[in-house]
């Protein structure tokens, strides 16, 4: 179970008044569930992930992670690969020592990285770098997966390829997952449950379970659900 | 060096300098300003007696020791100051003070306080260089990218891995700058240290031949040591640089 109950999170800005990013953000995700946070930009989605990652400690509220102190696989908004280490080294370095001997070939093959193990991040396209970041997130065999718009600024064809790869890898080992996105259709395609956030200060406006099995979410079905979702939460569009 | 031409350029440029030296020496008193053959004679004489290798070796060992000491201590202090604003505010005046302390003062004080021994000599050289390393590495530590520190935190990198895989690669350009300027500064100061308080090394030999007014031998030792330092640059520093920056795009 992943539980989040953040009463408030305030950012001190360098010049000007403090910024209230989150007020009363409360939701929970069941074990093994894939949830998405959607909402307008600046509504505190990324802040919420940073709190879960332990990168923001100055907030008012409490969180409970599955298993207490779980191993977390994360994909940040930008790939954040160490530029001076190869793709394989980047993945290996993130792994706990016990996992470093296990072959990565299957994971790399699934993500279409097979020929790129020895490339440096600077030699990869953005799409490939994002795949490598996903490979790293999965290679640690996480108990919790946190994804911060991992497909942003990719062209639609590449993004949809990567979404399919994500589903494929995730289904091989279902993990409690929380993905932040502002792309409704992406959320509908991937999630078991969607939480809709308000504009800043962020709080949950409502949740929307996606009932259809992932395998049967055709483009038409995704479009229909997205329209339904958008009519229920007019702020989303 | 992408083709052979730059080497050719460097070689002919150096030959030009040699020619200029020769021409000027022909006009001058050979005792004050000897021509290349006289220096070569001195060089061969010192090499044959074994003195050259011995003194070069001793000086080189001192340079290496002082360099290692200055780089490691300076890097540690620089990183601490760059990462901790409180420490930086507290110790910045010290850094400025030591940065501006004349090398000669440090050397003389080291000999007075610690005696005419090897530790005082090498320590004095290191103390002269440490503030430079601190200032350079402090800039590097200030420029560390938080995104990578967060990554290391989330994926629970060990302390050793944080240093080796996250921090040091980001500091590499600063380390390269500090070691390049460091090695040149250090060997010059080592000669002064040897001149003032050691009975061997290139600095001692130069002092000795200065008293004998043997300019040819002074030039022989100086040129031999410059050649050694060039070899260090070409055989150690440059290959290391290439290795450390292999991940960069060639034209980036």
């Amino acid at each position: 179970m992943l539980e989040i109950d953040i009463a408030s999170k305030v950012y001190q800005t360098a010049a000007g008044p403090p910024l209230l990013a989150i007020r009363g953000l409360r939701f929970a995700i069941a074990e093994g569930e894939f949830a998405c946070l959607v909402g307008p930009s600046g509504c505190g989605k990324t802040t919420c992930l940073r709190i879960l990652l332990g990168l923001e400690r100055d907030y008012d509220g409490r969180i409970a992670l599955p298993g207490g102190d779980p191993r977390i696989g994360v994909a940040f908004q930008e790939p954040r690969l160490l530029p001076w280490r190869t793709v394989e080294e980047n993945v290996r370095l993130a792994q706990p020592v016990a996992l470093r001997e296990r072959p990565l070939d299957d994971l790399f093959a699934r993500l279409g990285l097979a020929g790129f193990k020895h490339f440096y991040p600077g030699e990869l396209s953005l799409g490939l770098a994002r795949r490598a970041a996903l490979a790293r997130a999965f290679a640690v065999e996480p108990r919790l997966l946190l994804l911060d718009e991992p497909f942003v600024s990719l062209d639609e064809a590449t993004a949809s390829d990567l979404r399919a790869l994500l589903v494929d890898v995730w289904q091989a080992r279902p993990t409690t997952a929380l993905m932040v996105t502002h792309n409704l259709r992406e959320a509908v395609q991937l999630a078991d449950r969607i939480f809709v956030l308000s504009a800043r200060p962020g709080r949950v406006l409502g949740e929307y379970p996606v009932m259809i099995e992932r395998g049967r979410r055709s483009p038409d079905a995704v479009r229909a659900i997205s329209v339904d979702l958008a009519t229920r939460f007019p702020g989303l569009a | 060096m992408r083709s052979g031409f730059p080497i050719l350029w460097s070689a002919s440029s150096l030959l030009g300098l040699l020619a200029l030296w020769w021409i000027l020496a022909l006009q001058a008193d050979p005792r004050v300003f000897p021509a290349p053959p006289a220096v070569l004679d001195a060089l061969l004489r010192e090499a044959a007696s074994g003195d050259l290798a011995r003194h070069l070796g001793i000086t080189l060992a001192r340079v290496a020791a002082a360099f290692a000491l200055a780089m490691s201590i300076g890097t540690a202090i620089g990183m601490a100051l760059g990462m901790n604003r409180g420490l930086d505010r507290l110790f910045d005046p010290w850094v400025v003070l030591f940065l501006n302390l004349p090398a000669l003062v440090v050397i003389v004080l080291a000999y007075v306080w610690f005696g005419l021994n090897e530790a005082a000599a090498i320590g004095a050289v290191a103390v002269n260089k440490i503030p430079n390393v601190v200032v350079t590495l402090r800039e590097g530590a200030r420029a560390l990218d938080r995104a990578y520190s967060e990554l290391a935190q989330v994926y629970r990198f060990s302390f050793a891995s944080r240093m080796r895989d996250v921090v040091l690669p980001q500091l590499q350009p600063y380390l390269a700058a500090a070691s390049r300027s460091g090695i040149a500064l250090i060997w010059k100061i080592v000669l002064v240290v040897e001149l003032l308080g050691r009975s061997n090394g290139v600095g001692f030999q130069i002092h000795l031949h200065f008293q004998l007014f043997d300019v040819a031998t002074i030039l022989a030792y100086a040129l031999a040591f410059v050649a050694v330092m060039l070899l260090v640059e070409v055989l150690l520093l440059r290959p290391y640089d290439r290795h450390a920056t292999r991940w960069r795009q060639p034209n980036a």
Side-chain angles (χ1 to χ4, degrees):
Chain A
M1 191 78 161
L2 172 69
E3 288 176 302
I4 291 149
D5 184 356
I6 300 164
S8 69
K9 164 69 196 171
V10 177
Y11 281 108
Q12 300 299 333
T13 50
L19 181 77
L20 181 62
I22 291 176
R23 178 152 61 200
L25 179 65
R26 191 174 302 121
F27 63 94
I29 304 168
E31 196 82 43
E33 197 175 34
F34 196 123
C36 275
L37 277 185
V38 298
S41 56
C43 74
K45 302 186 294 279
T46 297
T47 302
C48 175
L49 283 196
R50 289 179 58 82
I51 288 175
L52 289 174
L53 286 167
L55 298 175
E56 299 286 347
R57 304 205 174 265
D58 180 24
Y59 63 94
D60 192 10
R62 54 170 285 280
I63 55 167
L65 302 179
D69 185 23
R71 191 145 68 220
I72 301 178
V74 60
F76 292 97
Q77 240 173 60
E78 67 289 348
R80 278 202 206 184
L81 302 165
L82 300 172
W84 42 83
R85 294 289 181 262
T86 64
V87 169
E88 184 175 18
E89 287 167 345
N90 265 284
V91 173
R92 287 296 187 198
L93 283 172
Q95 287 184 305
V97 177
L99 295 178
R100 289 195 186 170
E101 296 304 313
R102 304 219 189 140
L104 291 169
D105 300 336
D106 180 52
L107 179 66
F108 278 12
R110 269 175 196 267
L111 286 170
L113 284 168
F116 297 99
K117 281 204 297 196
H118 302 300
F119 279 53
Y120 286 100
E123 300 165 323
L124 301 178
S125 66
L126 182 59
L128 281 168
R130 289 199 184 285
R131 285 168 202 235
L134 282 179
R136 179 174 61 188
F138 282 103
V140 303
E141 303 199 347
R143 177 88 186 264
L144 174 65
L145 194 58
L146 297 177
L147 309 168
D148 190 359
E149 307 212 34
F151 309 126
V152 77
S153 68
L154 290 177
D155 61 87
E156 186 44 37
T158 314
S160 96
D161 279 356
L162 276 182
R163 283 195 280 269
L165 290 174
L166 174 64
V167 170
D168 181 44
V169 180
W170 182 77
Q171 277 176 335
R173 190 176 167 282
T175 309
T176 311
L178 179 60
M179 179 166 115
V180 156
T181 178
H182 60 241
N183 180 337
L184 268 194
R185 290 173 55 188
E186 179 169 288
V188 170
Q189 194 180 0
L190 295 172
D192 297 311
R193 187 181 301 276
I194 297 171
F195 295 96
V196 180
L197 263 58
S198 68
R200 190 174 56 229
R203 63 190 169 79
V204 175
L205 287 176
E207 62 176 89
Y208 186 101
V210 185
M211 303 307 258
I212 318 177
E213 251 177 75
R214 269 190 200 73
R216 309 213 337 261
R217 292 180 197 172
S218 61
D220 286 339
V222 168
R223 200 169 306 130
I225 298 172
S226 307
V227 169
D228 182 37
L229 187 57
T231 38
R232 282 206 212 178
F233 300 98
L236 281 176
Chain B
M1 288 185 207
R2 253 166 258 168
S3 66
F5 290 113
I7 300 176
L8 221 63
W9 274 113
S10 307
S12 41
S13 162
L14 284 177
L15 280 176
L17 186 64
L18 190 72
L20 187 67
W21 168 17
W22 209 322
I23 293 166
L24 290 176
L26 290 176
Q27 328 290 323
D29 174 359
R31 268 172 45 85
V32 179
F33 190 42
V39 173
L40 186 66
D41 274 351
L43 188 71
L44 292 175
R45 190 190 65 235
E46 293 293 311
S49 73
D51 279 355
L52 184 71
R54 191 159 56 83
H55 292 291
L56 280 185
I58 286 165
T59 297
L60 197 60
R62 286 188 185 124
V63 168
F67 178 75
L69 206 59
M71 286 304 290
S72 49
I73 295 176
T75 301
I77 297 177
M79 280 169 64
L81 296 189
M83 289 174 175
N84 186 323
R85 200 171 298 175
L87 276 184
D88 190 30
R89 221 173 292 157
L90 193 59
F91 289 110
D92 183 59
W94 295 31
V95 174
V96 176
L97 178 84
F98 277 95
L99 206 53
N100 287 293
L101 208 55
L104 197 57
V105 173
V106 175
I107 296 164
V108 169
L109 288 181
Y111 279 147
V112 170
W113 289 340
F114 304 108
L116 290 174
N117 56 49
E118 205 60 53
I122 290 170
V125 178
V127 167
N128 273 303
K129 176 56 192 168
I130 285 171
N132 293 71
V133 181
V134 168
V135 168
T136 309
L137 268 294
R138 181 172 62 182
E139 285 313 311
R142 280 179 184 154
L144 287 175
D145 192 338
R146 252 187 53 195
Y148 297 127
S149 318
E150 291 181 355
L151 177 79
Q153 186 188 334
V154 169
Y155 283 116
R156 301 178 185 180
F157 284 27
S158 65
F159 178 78
S161 174
R162 259 173 218 236
M163 287 296 135
R164 190 183 56 235
D165 302 308
V166 180
V167 172
L168 287 179
Q170 292 184 72
L171 293 181
Q172 196 277 331
Y174 298 89
L175 284 169
S179 51
R180 283 289 175 71
S181 66
I183 208 123
L185 182 68
I186 280 175
W187 90 258
K188 290 170 196 170
I189 301 177
V190 164
L191 294 204
V192 178
V193 166
E194 289 173 342
L195 181 147
L196 288 177
R198 301 277 74 207
S199 51
N200 49 26
V202 175
F204 170 78
Q205 285 299 95
I206 287 175
H207 186 48
L208 179 71
H209 290 97
F210 164 65
Q211 287 170 335
L212 303 173
F213 211 72
D214 182 356
V215 179
T217 312
I218 290 175
L219 283 175
Y221 270 99
L223 289 178
F225 204 73
V226 169
V228 169
M229 294 316 288
L230 271 177
L231 282 180
V232 168
E233 162 91 18
V234 172
L235 297 181
L236 289 178
L237 293 184
R238 278 195 200 163
Y240 170 74
D241 249 16
R242 263 199 299 278
H243 175 76
T245 56
R246 68 201 178 284
W247 55 275
R248 283 186 207 278
Q249 297 292 298
N251 294 317

